[in-house]
Amino acid sequence: MTEHHQSTRGRPRVALVTCARLPDLDPDDRLLLDPLARRGVAVDVLDWADPGVDWPAYDLAVLRSPWDYALRRDEFVAWAARVPALANPGDVVRWNTDKRYLAELSAAGVPTVPTSWIAPGETWRPPAERGEYVVKPAVSAGSQDTGRYDLADPGHRALAAAHLRRLSDAGRLAMVQPYLDAVDTAGETALLFLAGPHGPTFSHAVRKGPMLTGPDLGVEGLFRPEEITARTATAEQLTVAEKALAAVPGGPGRLLYARVDLIPGPDGTPVLVELELTEPSLFLGHADGAADRLADAILARLGGGV
């Protein structure tokens, strides 16, 4: 695991948390290293699952790319609960790594993608509608184990049922959602928020191109490649994002970062797809000053001001 050894006497120490398969961080997250160094912060890049790390020795541990946790979620959330200064906090990690949080946000009035939940052992009955649907596990990262199925196609219906059986046999809660076809043209909008003096502050937005082209055929690596471009957020998108953040248990003020992913619904209004509070890509390289804004937010969290 890469460690940026520096003299740390009198300097705040920050761990940027990754996994063994990304020992040097994702390239986008490496953009944060120089801004932190310029602010006098000593940084180590560490694997969350490394039993030799002394996490209490760090003034702050910032989750960045621990993307191998999905099949080890119990271990991951137990680890997060033990880290004394984790961003985002361990209870947020526990809540946010199970996509059943979408049901809570929907109940709070946040417009979300309609979702059916299929527990292990339950039989899925395809809807009468013959549209396209997405099948995925409730605990996942990087669009792993996710597929798109056209239920007008008998072959797709069989593949969707087989996908759900695989998840059930593995003891994983599954979710089925209508495919929002606006993503094929408008793409998905990711709104990035970073901690500010009065809570999460909007930093920048990007457009994520459509990724799901058909049934689940597996993903090489930790995540599906994404087509990312800069985007200007609309007032309507910001309103939905802020409503979602306001519904986070414990309040949004504890968050160092947040990503709100939206797609236009059938009537064109923004609908929440995911609220990413654990280990989202922040797309720092797609907005001028974003890495510096995150470094300032970390410095403020350390008590060093901005």
Side-chain angles (χ1 to χ4, degrees):
M1 191 57 54
T2 302
E3 296 189 8
H4 300 268
H5 291 293
Q6 308 167 58
S7 172
T8 59
R9 182 173 299 172
R11 303 173 67 190
R13 297 183 68 197
V14 168
L16 298 182
V17 182
T18 186
C19 63
R21 293 176 65 181
L22 285 171
D24 295 313
L25 295 173
D26 182 73
D28 190 69
D29 286 320
R30 287 202 289 272
L31 299 175
L32 182 59
L33 296 173
D34 284 345
L36 286 174
R38 292 197 305 269
R39 287 159 175 78
V41 177
V43 176
D44 290 338
V45 178
L46 300 168
D47 176 8
W48 72 270
D50 183 347
V53 176
D54 180 14
W55 296 105
Y58 290 90
D59 300 293
L60 187 66
V62 180
L63 287 164
R64 291 312 322 124
S65 46
W67 294 334
D68 63 354
Y69 78 84
L71 297 179
R72 309 161 62 188
R73 177 177 175 266
D74 289 348
E75 179 185 349
F76 182 64
V77 298
W79 165 83
R82 294 194 301 269
V83 179
L86 185 67
N88 287 327
D91 63 304
V92 171
V93 169
R94 177 178 292 277
W95 179 77
N96 188 239
T97 50
D98 184 326
K99 292 182 177 62
R100 281 178 289 186
Y101 70 76
L102 290 171
E104 295 183 33
L105 295 181
S106 178
V110 179
T112 62
V113 181
T115 303
S116 299
W117 308 93
I118 297 90
E122 288 185 346
T123 300
W124 177 60
R125 292 174 175 79
E129 296 83 2
R130 294 295 192 263
E132 291 188 287
Y133 285 78
V134 174
V135 174
K136 58 185 174 182
V139 177
S140 66
S143 296
Q144 296 269 6
D145 302 306
T146 300
R148 170 183 171 184
Y149 302 92
D150 182 355
L151 298 189
D153 181 333
H156 272 224
R157 290 172 76 88
L159 287 171
H163 187 168
L164 285 160
R165 282 196 300 272
R166 289 198 304 276
L167 295 176
S168 178
D169 290 347
R172 303 176 75 183
L173 176 69
M175 49 199 296
V176 179
Q177 299 172 320
Y179 183 76
L180 300 180
D181 57 12
V183 72
D184 292 333
T185 52
E188 185 173 323
T189 301
L191 290 82
L192 288 306
F193 291 77
L194 303 174
H198 306 293
T201 300
F202 176 68
S203 170
H204 58 286
V206 301
R207 177 190 186 273
K208 302 167 65 180
M211 292 189 295
L212 298 180
T213 57
D216 176 36
L217 299 176
V219 175
E220 292 186 11
L222 290 169
F223 53 87
R224 293 180 191 264
E226 296 180 308
E227 177 189 336
I228 305 298
T229 54
R231 167 165 278 179
T232 300
T234 67
E236 193 174 25
Q237 289 169 336
L238 287 166
T239 296
V240 173
E242 289 162 359
K243 190 169 188 176
L245 291 172
V248 173
R254 300 181 300 151
L255 303 177
L256 177 65
Y257 52 79
R259 196 182 86 201
V260 185
D261 294 343
L262 305 173
I263 294 176
D267 64 355
T269 60
V271 173
L272 179 73
V273 181
E274 292 192 7
L275 175 60
E276 298 272 12
L277 307 180
T278 302
E279 30 59 51
S281 294
L282 297 175
F283 308 118
L284 301 175
H286 288 80
D288 290 342
D292 283 292
R293 289 193 289 276
L294 179 54
D296 285 337
I298 289 171
L299 194 64
R301 189 62 54 95
L302 291 166
V306 176

